[in-house]
Amino acid sequence: MNLTKAVIGNLSKIGSHCSIGICSIGNNAVIGDRVVIQDGVTIGTHVVIESGCIIESDARIGNHCVLQAGSIIRKNAKVSSKAVISCGSIVE
């Protein structure tokens, strides 16, 4: 991915106190408060990321996923479409 700025899809909502790097966020995504999204991350469409999640660099989140509060997605991890990551989980 050769982005020079964050690309945020139509109708996506981002909560307060988030840190968003150079990444791609699909349409209709909902991102809660205090979420960290590092550079190189790709987030699909219709994704819900609850508050306090951390998504490390170059991770991929598929379409229609839910990351429950406090989840951590490690560098280069891939989350398949329609996955639900439980509260406080770590995906490597």
Side-chain angles (χ1 to χ4, degrees):
M1 176 169 52
N2 285 327
L3 296 174
T4 57
K5 61 183 177 179
V7 175
I8 301 171
N10 294 327
L11 303 175
S12 291
K13 296 178 173 131
I14 298 175
S16 61
H17 306 289
C18 292
S19 174
I20 298 179
I22 298 170
C23 65
S24 174
I25 299 172
N27 296 331
N28 299 297
V30 177
I31 298 173
D33 298 336
R34 297 176 306 283
V35 170
V36 175
I37 301 173
Q38 295 181 350
D39 290 343
V41 169
T42 301
I43 297 171
T45 61
H46 301 279
V47 171
V48 175
I49 301 173
E50 294 181 356
S51 63
C53 290
I54 299 171
I55 305 173
E56 295 181 356
S57 60
D58 300 314
R60 305 284 181 262
I61 311 297
N63 298 329
H64 303 279
C65 288
V66 176
L67 305 183
Q68 293 181 346
S71 298
I72 299 173
I73 309 301
R74 295 284 191 198
K75 182 176 183 177
N76 295 315
K78 291 179 177 48
V79 177
S80 297
S81 292
K82 299 183 181 176
V84 176
I85 307 302
S86 295
C87 184
S89 295
I90 298 174
V91 177
E92 298 197 50

